[in-house]
Coordinates of all heavy atoms in Angstrom, one line a residue:
G88 N 109.5 82.4 118.3 CA 108.8 81.3 117.7 C 109.8 80.5 116.8 O 111.0 80.7 116.8
N89 N 109.2 79.7 116.0 CA 110.0 78.8 115.0 C 109.8 79.4 113.6 O 108.7 79.7 113.1 CB 109.5 77.4 115.0 CG 109.8 76.8 116.3 OD1 110.9 76.9 116.9 ND2 108.8 76.0 116.8
V90 N 110.9 79.5 112.9 CA 110.9 79.9 111.5 C 111.1 78.6 110.7 O 112.1 77.9 110.8 CB 112.1 80.9 111.2 CG1 112.2 81.1 109.7 CG2 111.8 82.2 111.9
E91 N 110.2 78.4 109.8 CA 110.3 77.2 108.9 C 111.1 77.5 107.7 O 110.7 78.3 106.8 CB 108.9 76.7 108.4 CG 108.2 75.8 109.3 CD 107.0 75.2 108.7 OE1 107.1 74.5 107.7 OE2 105.9 75.5 109.2
L92 N 112.3 77.0 107.7 CA 113.3 77.4 106.6 C 112.7 77.0 105.2 O 113.1 77.5 104.2 CB 114.6 76.8 106.8 CG 115.4 77.4 108.0 CD1 116.8 76.8 108.1 CD2 115.4 78.9 108.0
K93 N 111.9 75.9 105.2 CA 111.4 75.4 103.9 C 110.5 76.4 103.2 O 110.2 76.3 102.0 CB 110.9 74.0 103.9 CG 109.7 73.8 104.8 CD 109.3 72.4 104.6 CE 107.9 72.0 105.3 NZ 108.2 71.7 106.7
K94 N 110.1 77.5 103.9 CA 109.3 78.5 103.3 C 110.1 79.4 102.4 O 109.5 80.2 101.6 CB 108.7 79.5 104.4 CG 107.3 79.0 105.0 CD 106.9 79.8 106.2 CE 107.1 81.2 106.1 NZ 106.8 81.9 107.5
Y95 N 111.4 79.4 102.6 CA 112.4 80.3 101.9 C 113.2 79.5 101.0 O 113.2 78.3 100.9 CB 113.2 81.0 103.0 CG 112.4 81.8 104.0 CD1 112.0 81.2 105.2 CD2 112.1 83.2 103.8 CE1 111.2 81.9 106.2 CE2 111.4 83.8 104.7 CZ 111.0 83.3 105.9 OH 110.3 84.0 106.9
I96 N 114.0 80.3 100.2 CA 114.9 79.6 99.2 C 116.3 79.5 99.9 O 116.8 78.4 100.0 CB 115.1 80.4 97.9 CG1 113.7 80.6 97.2 CG2 116.0 79.7 96.9 CD1 113.6 81.6 96.1
H97 N 117.0 80.6 100.2 CA 118.3 80.6 100.9 C 118.3 81.8 101.9 O 119.1 82.7 101.6 CB 119.4 80.6 99.8 CG 119.2 81.4 98.7 ND1 119.8 81.3 97.5 CD2 118.3 82.5 98.5 CE1 119.4 82.2 96.6 NE2 118.5 82.9 97.2
P98 N 117.5 81.7 103.0 CA 117.3 82.8 103.8 C 118.6 83.3 104.6 O 119.3 82.4 105.0 CB 116.2 82.4 104.8 CG 116.3 80.9 104.7 CD 116.8 80.5 103.4
R99 N 118.7 84.6 104.7 CA 119.8 85.1 105.6 C 119.1 86.0 106.6 O 118.0 86.5 106.4 CB 120.7 86.0 104.7 CG 121.5 85.3 103.7 CD 122.4 86.3 102.9 NE 123.2 85.7 102.0 CZ 124.1 86.3 101.2 NH1 124.3 87.6 101.2 NH2 124.9 85.6 100.4
V100 N 119.8 86.2 107.7 CA 119.2 87.0 108.8 C 120.1 88.3 109.0 O 121.3 88.1 108.9 CB 118.9 86.3 110.1 CG1 120.2 85.6 110.6 CG2 118.2 87.0 111.1
E101 N 119.6 89.4 109.4 CA 120.4 90.6 109.6 C 119.7 91.5 110.7 O 118.5 91.5 110.8 CB 120.6 91.4 108.4 CG 119.4 91.6 107.5 CD 119.6 92.2 106.1 OE1 120.7 92.0 105.5 OE2 118.8 92.9 105.6
P102 N 120.6 92.2 111.5 CA 120.0 93.0 112.6 C 119.6 94.4 112.2 O 120.3 95.0 111.4 CB 121.3 93.0 113.6 CG 122.5 93.0 112.7 CD 122.1 92.1 111.5
E103 N 118.4 94.8 112.6 CA 117.9 96.1 112.2 C 117.2 96.8 113.4 O 117.0 96.2 114.4 CB 116.9 95.9 111.1 CG 117.4 95.0 109.9 CD 116.9 95.5 108.6 OE1 116.2 96.5 108.5 OE2 117.2 94.9 107.6
L104 N 116.8 98.0 113.0 CA 115.8 98.7 114.0 C 114.6 99.0 113.2 O 114.6 99.3 112.0 CB 116.5 100.0 114.3 CG 116.0 100.9 115.4 CD1 116.2 100.3 116.7 CD2 116.4 102.3 115.3
C105 N 113.4 98.9 113.9 CA 112.2 99.1 113.2 C 111.5 100.3 113.8 O 111.4 100.5 115.0 CB 111.3 97.9 113.3 SG 109.8 98.0 112.3
F106 N 111.0 101.2 113.0 CA 110.2 102.3 113.4 C 108.7 102.0 113.3 O 108.3 101.5 112.3 CB 110.4 103.6 112.6 CG 111.9 104.1 112.6 CD1 112.7 103.9 111.5 CD2 112.4 104.7 113.7 CE1 114.0 104.3 111.5 CE2 113.7 105.2 113.7 CZ 114.5 105.0 112.6
L107 N 107.9 102.5 114.3 CA 106.5 102.4 114.1 C 106.1 103.9 113.8 O 106.4 104.8 114.6 CB 105.8 101.9 115.4 CG 104.3 101.9 115.4 CD1 103.7 100.9 114.4 CD2 103.8 101.4 116.8
I108 N 105.3 104.1 112.7 CA 105.1 105.4 112.3 C 103.8 106.0 112.9 O 102.8 105.3 113.0 CB 105.0 105.5 110.7 CG1 106.4 105.0 110.1 CG2 104.7 106.9 110.2 CD1 107.6 105.8 110.6
K109 N 103.9 107.3 113.3 CA 102.9 107.9 114.1 C 101.9 108.5 113.2 O 100.6 108.6 113.5 CB 103.5 109.0 115.0 CG 102.6 109.6 116.0 CD 103.5 110.5 116.8 CE 102.7 111.1 118.0 NZ 103.8 111.7 118.9
K110 N 102.3 109.2 112.1 CA 101.3 109.9 111.2 C 101.8 109.8 109.8 O 103.0 109.6 109.5 CB 101.1 111.3 111.7 CG 102.3 112.2 111.9 CD 101.9 113.5 112.5 CE 103.2 114.4 112.6 NZ 103.0 115.6 113.2
D111 N 100.9 110.0 108.9 CA 101.2 109.9 107.4 C 102.4 110.8 107.1 O 102.4 111.9 107.6 CB 100.0 110.3 106.6 CG 98.8 109.3 106.7 OD1 99.0 108.4 107.6 OD2 97.9 109.6 106.1
I112 N 103.3 110.4 106.3 CA 104.4 111.1 105.8 C 104.1 111.6 104.4 O 104.4 110.8 103.4 CB 105.7 110.3 105.9 CG1 105.9 109.8 107.3 CG2 106.9 111.2 105.4 CD1 107.2 109.0 107.5
S113 N 103.6 112.8 104.2 CA 103.2 113.2 102.9 C 104.2 114.2 102.2 O 103.9 114.7 101.1 CB 101.8 113.8 102.9 OG 101.8 114.7 104.0
H114 N 105.3 114.4 102.9 CA 106.4 115.2 102.2 C 107.8 114.6 102.7 O 107.8 114.0 103.7 CB 106.2 116.7 102.6 CG 106.6 117.0 104.0 ND1 105.6 116.8 105.0 CD2 107.7 117.4 104.6 CE1 106.1 117.1 106.2 NE2 107.4 117.4 106.0
P115 N 108.8 114.9 101.8 CA 110.1 114.3 102.2 C 110.6 115.0 103.6 O 110.5 116.3 103.6 CB 111.0 114.8 101.1 CG 110.1 115.1 100.0 CD 108.8 115.6 100.6
L116 N 110.9 114.2 104.5 CA 111.2 114.7 105.8 C 112.7 115.2 105.9 O 113.5 114.7 105.2 CB 111.0 113.6 106.9 CG 109.6 113.0 107.1 CD1 109.7 111.9 108.1 CD2 108.6 114.1 107.4
N117 N 112.9 116.1 106.8 CA 114.3 116.4 107.2 C 114.5 115.8 108.6 O 113.6 115.5 109.3 CB 114.7 117.9 107.1 CG 113.8 118.7 108.1 OD1 113.7 118.3 109.3 ND2 113.2 119.8 107.7
A118 N 115.8 115.7 109.0 CA 116.1 115.0 110.3 C 115.5 115.6 111.4 O 115.1 114.9 112.4 CB 117.6 114.9 110.4
L119 N 115.3 116.9 111.5 CA 114.7 117.6 112.7 C 113.3 117.2 112.9 O 112.9 117.0 114.0 CB 114.9 119.1 112.5 CG 116.3 119.7 112.7 CD1 116.2 121.2 112.6 CD2 116.8 119.3 114.1
E120 N 112.5 117.2 111.8 CA 111.0 116.9 112.0 C 110.8 115.4 112.2 O 109.6 115.0 112.6 CB 110.2 117.5 110.9 CG 110.6 117.0 109.5 CD 109.9 117.7 108.3 OE1 108.8 118.2 108.5 OE2 110.6 117.7 107.3
T121 N 111.7 114.6 111.8 CA 111.4 113.1 111.8 C 111.0 112.5 113.1 O 110.0 111.7 113.1 CB 112.7 112.4 111.3 OG1 113.0 112.9 110.0 CG2 112.5 110.9 111.1
M122 N 111.4 113.0 114.2 CA 111.1 112.5 115.5 C 109.6 112.6 115.7 O 108.9 111.8 116.3 CB 111.8 113.2 116.7 CG 113.3 112.8 116.8 SD 113.5 111.0 116.9 CE 113.3 110.6 118.6
N123 N 108.9 113.6 115.1 CA 107.5 113.8 115.3 C 106.7 112.8 114.6 O 105.5 112.7 114.8 CB 107.1 115.2 114.7 CG 107.8 116.3 115.4 OD1 108.2 116.2 116.6 ND2 108.0 117.4 114.7
Y124 N 107.3 112.0 113.7 CA 106.6 111.0 112.9 C 106.8 109.6 113.5 O 106.4 108.6 112.9 CB 107.1 111.0 111.5 CG 106.5 112.3 110.8 CD1 107.2 113.5 110.9 CD2 105.4 112.2 109.9 CE1 106.7 114.7 110.4 CE2 104.9 113.3 109.4 CZ 105.5 114.6 109.6 OH 105.0 115.7 109.0
I125 N 107.5 109.4 114.6 CA 107.8 108.1 115.2 C 107.0 107.9 116.4 O 107.0 108.8 117.3 CB 109.3 108.0 115.5 CG1 110.2 108.2 114.3 CG2 109.7 106.6 116.1 CD1 111.7 108.4 114.6
E126 N 106.3 106.7 116.5 CA 105.5 106.4 117.7 C 106.4 105.6 118.6 O 106.4 105.8 119.8 CB 104.3 105.6 117.2 CG 103.4 105.1 118.3 CD 102.7 106.3 118.9 OE1 102.3 107.1 118.1 OE2 102.5 106.3 120.1
A127 N 107.2 104.7 118.1 CA 108.0 103.8 118.9 C 109.1 103.1 118.0 O 109.0 103.3 116.8 CB 107.2 102.7 119.5
V128 N 110.1 102.5 118.6 CA 111.1 101.8 117.9 C 111.3 100.4 118.5 O 110.9 100.2 119.7 CB 112.5 102.5 117.8 CG1 112.5 103.7 116.9 CG2 112.9 103.0 119.3
A129 N 111.8 99.4 117.7 CA 111.9 98.1 118.2 C 113.2 97.5 117.6 O 113.4 97.8 116.4 CB 110.7 97.2 118.0
P130 N 113.9 96.6 118.3 CA 114.9 95.8 117.6 C 114.2 94.8 116.7 O 113.1 94.4 117.0 CB 115.6 95.0 118.7 CG 114.6 95.0 119.9 CD 113.7 96.2 119.7
A131 N 114.9 94.5 115.6 CA 114.2 93.7 114.6 C 115.3 92.8 113.9 O 116.4 93.3 113.7 CB 113.4 94.5 113.6
M132 N 114.9 91.6 113.5 CA 115.7 90.8 112.6 C 115.0 90.7 111.3 O 113.8 90.3 111.3 CB 116.0 89.5 113.2 CG 117.0 89.6 114.4 SD 117.4 87.9 115.0 CE 116.0 87.4 115.9
E133 N 115.6 91.0 110.2 CA 115.0 90.9 108.9 C 115.5 89.5 108.3 O 116.7 89.2 108.4 CB 115.3 92.0 108.0 CG 114.3 91.9 106.7 CD 114.6 92.8 105.6 OE1 115.6 93.7 105.7 OE2 113.9 92.7 104.6
I134 N 114.6 88.8 107.8 CA 115.0 87.6 107.1 C 114.9 87.9 105.6 O 113.8 88.2 105.1 CB 114.1 86.4 107.4 CG1 114.2 86.1 108.9 CG2 114.5 85.1 106.6 CD1 113.3 85.0 109.4
I135 N 116.1 88.1 104.9 CA 116.0 88.4 103.5 C 116.2 87.1 102.7 O 116.9 86.1 103.2 CB 117.1 89.5 103.1 CG1 118.5 89.0 103.7 CG2 116.7 90.8 103.6 CD1 119.6 89.9 103.1
D136 N 115.6 87.0 101.5 CA 115.7 85.8 100.7 C 115.6 86.2 99.3 O 114.5 86.4 98.8 CB 114.5 84.9 101.1 CG 114.8 83.5 100.5 OD1 115.9 83.1 100.3 OD2 113.7 82.8 100.3
S137 N 116.8 86.4 98.6 CA 116.8 86.8 97.2 C 116.2 85.7 96.4 O 116.4 84.5 96.7 CB 118.2 87.1 96.7 OG 118.1 87.3 95.4
R138 N 115.4 86.0 95.4 CA 114.9 85.0 94.5 C 115.9 84.6 93.4 O 115.7 83.8 92.6 CB 113.5 85.5 93.8 CG 112.3 85.1 94.6 CD 112.2 85.5 96.1 NE 112.2 86.8 96.3 CZ 111.8 87.4 97.5 NH1 111.5 86.6 98.6 NH2 111.8 88.7 97.8
Y139 N 117.0 85.3 93.4 CA 118.0 85.1 92.3 C 119.1 84.1 92.7 O 119.5 84.0 93.9 CB 118.8 86.4 92.1 CG 117.8 87.5 91.5 CD1 117.6 88.7 92.3 CD2 117.2 87.4 90.3 CE1 116.8 89.7 91.8 CE2 116.3 88.3 89.9 CZ 116.1 89.5 90.6 OH 115.3 90.5 90.1
K140 N 119.6 83.5 91.7 CA 120.7 82.4 91.9 C 121.8 83.0 92.7 O 122.4 84.1 92.5 CB 121.2 82.1 90.5 CG 120.4 80.9 89.9 CD 121.1 80.3 88.7 CE 120.1 79.4 88.1 NZ 120.2 79.5 86.6
N141 N 122.3 82.2 93.7 CA 123.4 82.5 94.5 C 123.3 83.8 95.3 O 124.4 84.5 95.6 CB 124.7 82.5 93.6 CG 124.9 81.2 92.9 OD1 124.7 80.2 93.4 ND2 125.3 81.3 91.6
F142 N 122.1 84.3 95.4 CA 121.9 85.5 96.2 C 122.7 86.7 95.5 O 123.2 87.6 96.2 CB 122.3 85.4 97.7 CG 121.4 86.0 98.7 CD1 120.6 85.2 99.5 CD2 121.2 87.3 98.7 CE1 119.7 85.7 100.4 CE2 120.3 87.9 99.6 CZ 119.5 87.1 100.5
K143 N 122.8 86.7 94.2 CA 123.5 87.7 93.6 C 122.6 88.6 92.7 O 121.7 88.0 92.1 CB 124.6 87.1 92.6 CG 125.7 86.4 93.2 CD 126.9 87.3 93.2 CE 128.2 86.7 93.7 NZ 128.2 86.2 95.0
F144 N 122.8 89.9 92.6 CA 122.0 90.7 91.9 C 122.6 92.1 91.7 O 123.6 92.5 92.4 CB 120.6 90.9 92.5 CG 120.7 91.1 94.0 CD1 121.2 92.2 94.6 CD2 120.3 90.0 94.9 CE1 121.3 92.4 96.0 CE2 120.4 90.2 96.3 CZ 120.9 91.3 96.8
N145 N 122.1 92.9 90.7 CA 122.5 94.3 90.7 C 121.4 95.2 91.2 O 120.4 94.6 91.7 CB 122.9 94.7 89.2 CG 121.8 94.7 88.2 OD1 120.6 94.7 88.6 ND2 122.1 94.7 86.9
H146 N 121.6 96.5 91.1 CA 120.7 97.4 91.8 C 119.2 97.2 91.3 O 118.3 97.0 92.0 CB 121.2 98.9 91.4 CG 120.4 99.9 92.1 ND1 120.6 101.3 91.8 CD2 119.4 99.9 93.0 CE1 119.8 102.0 92.5 NE2 119.0 101.2 93.2
S147 N 119.0 97.1 89.9 CA 117.6 97.0 89.4 C 117.1 95.6 89.6 O 115.9 95.5 89.9 CB 117.5 97.4 87.9 OG 118.3 96.6 87.1
D148 N 118.0 94.6 89.6 CA 117.4 93.2 90.0 C 116.8 93.2 91.4 O 115.8 92.7 91.6 CB 118.6 92.2 90.0 CG 119.2 91.9 88.6 OD1 118.4 91.8 87.7 OD2 120.4 91.6 88.5
V149 N 117.6 93.8 92.3 CA 117.1 93.7 93.7 C 115.9 94.5 93.9 O 114.9 94.1 94.7 CB 118.3 94.0 94.7 CG1 118.7 95.4 94.8 CG2 117.8 93.5 96.1
V150 N 115.8 95.7 93.3 CA 114.6 96.5 93.5 C 113.4 95.8 92.9 O 112.3 95.7 93.6 CB 114.8 97.9 92.8 CG1 113.4 98.6 92.6 CG2 115.8 98.7 93.5
A151 N 113.5 95.1 91.7 CA 112.3 94.4 91.1 C 111.9 93.3 92.1 O 110.8 93.0 92.2 CB 112.8 93.8 89.8
D152 N 112.9 92.7 92.8 CA 112.6 91.5 93.7 C 112.3 92.0 95.1 O 112.5 91.4 96.1 CB 113.9 90.6 93.7 CG 113.7 89.3 94.5 OD1 112.5 88.9 94.5 OD2 114.6 88.8 95.1
N153 N 111.6 93.2 95.2 CA 111.1 93.7 96.4 C 112.2 93.8 97.5 O 112.1 93.6 98.7 CB 109.9 92.8 97.0 CG 109.2 93.6 98.0 OD1 109.2 94.9 98.1 ND2 108.4 92.9 98.9
S154 N 113.5 94.1 97.0 CA 114.6 94.3 97.8 C 114.9 93.2 98.8 O 115.2 93.4 100.0 CB 114.5 95.6 98.5 OG 114.5 96.7 97.6

Side-chain angles (χ1 to χ4, degrees):
N89 293 317
V90 170
E91 270 190 64
L92 293 186
K93 59 175 188 277
K94 274 175 37 189
Y95 301 90
I96 304 169
H97 36 203
R99 292 178 176 183
V100 62
E101 50 190 26
E103 306 216 5
L104 187 78
C105 187
F106 297 106
L107 178 63
I108 301 302
K109 190 175 185 169
K110 51 186 181 180
D111 296 4
I112 304 181
S113 46
H114 67 278
L116 300 179
N117 63 46
L119 283 181
E120 61 187 330
T121 300
M122 285 310 272
N123 302 330
Y124 288 79
I125 303 171
E126 182 67 41
V128 285
M132 287 187 281
E133 192 186 0
I134 301 175
I135 49 169
D136 194 25
S137 174
R138 269 50 69 164
Y139 299 116
K140 272 191 190 139
N141 304 320
F142 225 113
K143 289 258 185 304
F144 40 71
N145 70 14
H146 185 188
S147 60
D148 286 328
V149 71
V150 165
D152 187 28
N153 198 21
S154 298

